[in-house]
Amino acid sequence: MKNLPLLLLVLFAFQYINAQSDFSKGWDEGYKEGYCYNKYGCVAPVPPVSPVPVPGQDNYKGGYNSGFIKGQSDKKNNELNNSNIQTSPYAKSTPLNNDSSQALQYWSGVALRNEQIANAEKQRSRPKFKMAFEIAKEAFEKKDYWTCIKEYNNSSNMPWYDSDFEIITAISCVEIWEQYHYEDYYEKATKLFKKAKRHGHPQARKLLEELEIRKKKTNDK
């Protein structure tokens, strides 16, 4: 019994080291993926040393998400630094003359820069969308349908979609409709199944047909 505190300390240290190891592995993979996301032929630099994980996120998934965000941030900073060194096609101090080719070059540069900014904003929202999907999946597996729907609604304004996300949210709406008889959730489920169908989900058509059958049986009662 005298050695019990020491044994507990050793076990705690062992668990902490394992957590740190899993977090660091996730951090390294996430950083490389984030740095090179949507960049073909990209070679990611050596990831920086992983930070101390936040309690509850000290696992591979937490490390991957943190590393992904850091990788994207570093890539953005590098691109901004490089763009500051180069001469912008539309940041000239001399005024434009009436030459159409010069005006075309100017506005082409503006359009390109606006597109780059829009793409950067889109990439920054990607980890948030993935995290919302993961939370929704866990909630769905626990039959916490309200949380699943909430996470989908919170991420629906992001420029991303996932047909599996749409399917589990639609099924969650069906469960609430059948349990509480909220007709608006039947409508939401129908729309989500149709959206998943447009996005190519292989089970969407069958699930939509099954929902229509259930609705008919409900009306016939």
Side-chain angles (χ1 to χ4, degrees):
M1 294 298 293
K2 293 181 180 180
N3 294 329
L4 182 58
L6 178 60
L7 177 60
L8 292 175
L9 182 61
V10 171
L11 290 174
F12 177 82
F14 181 77
Q15 292 175 349
Y16 179 79
I17 291 172
N18 281 343
Q20 282 282 82
S21 177
D22 290 340
F23 181 91
S24 296
K25 290 177 182 177
W27 168 273
D28 290 346
E29 289 297 322
Y31 182 90
K32 294 176 183 177
E33 290 290 333
Y35 192 94
C36 288
Y37 189 78
N38 269 0
K39 297 289 182 181
Y40 297 103
C42 168
V43 178
V46 177
V49 177
S50 62
V52 177
V54 177
Q57 298 294 324
D58 52 347
N59 48 35
Y60 181 91
K61 177 181 173 182
Y64 182 92
N65 290 334
S66 298
F68 191 97
I69 295 172
K70 175 63 174 173
Q72 284 201 317
S73 176
D74 286 358
K75 180 65 174 178
K76 178 189 174 185
N77 290 336
N78 288 342
E79 289 176 344
L80 288 176
N81 291 337
N82 291 336
S83 65
N84 289 335
I85 295 174
Q86 299 172 355
T87 302
S88 170
Y90 50 89
K92 298 179 180 180
S93 57
T94 56
L96 291 174
N97 56 30
N98 292 327
D99 184 81
S100 60
S101 63
Q102 188 179 6
L104 179 61
Q105 181 183 10
Y106 173 85
W107 291 113
S108 295
V110 172
L112 177 61
R113 182 57 179 164
N114 288 340
E115 182 181 357
Q116 290 173 340
I117 293 173
N119 287 337
E121 290 293 334
K122 180 178 180 180
Q123 296 309 320
R124 277 197 292 272
S125 67
R126 176 64 175 173
K128 294 180 181 179
F129 181 84
K130 291 178 65 177
M131 180 62 70
F133 187 18
E134 291 299 323
I135 295 173
K137 285 194 292 186
E138 292 179 6
F140 181 77
E141 291 171 358
K142 296 176 182 178
K143 298 184 179 181
D144 182 2
Y145 303 120
W146 294 107
T147 297
C148 180
I149 296 170
K150 176 184 175 183
E151 290 300 322
Y152 178 82
N153 290 339
N154 289 342
S155 62
S156 60
N157 62 339
M158 299 180 190
W160 302 95
Y161 72 84
D162 189 297
S163 60
D164 286 334
F165 201 170
E166 293 158 357
I167 287 293
I168 64 172
T169 307
I171 295 174
S172 297
C173 290
V174 172
E175 293 292 336
I176 291 174
W177 165 62
E178 291 192 324
Q179 183 174 355
Y180 299 102
H181 308 292
Y182 295 158
E183 287 301 315
D184 55 330
Y185 279 85
Y186 167 80
E187 299 296 334
K188 291 177 182 178
T190 301
K191 291 179 180 178
L192 285 167
F193 281 137
K194 289 180 178 179
K195 184 179 289 187
K197 179 182 174 183
R198 290 197 303 270
H199 291 156
H201 196 284
Q203 299 298 322
R205 181 191 295 273
K206 181 178 180 181
L207 290 169
L208 184 58
E209 291 174 354
E210 182 179 340
L211 176 60
E212 292 172 352
I213 293 172
R214 290 190 183 189
K215 177 65 172 175
K216 188 176 183 301
K217 289 181 178 179
T218 302
N219 294 337
D220 291 341
K221 289 181 180 180

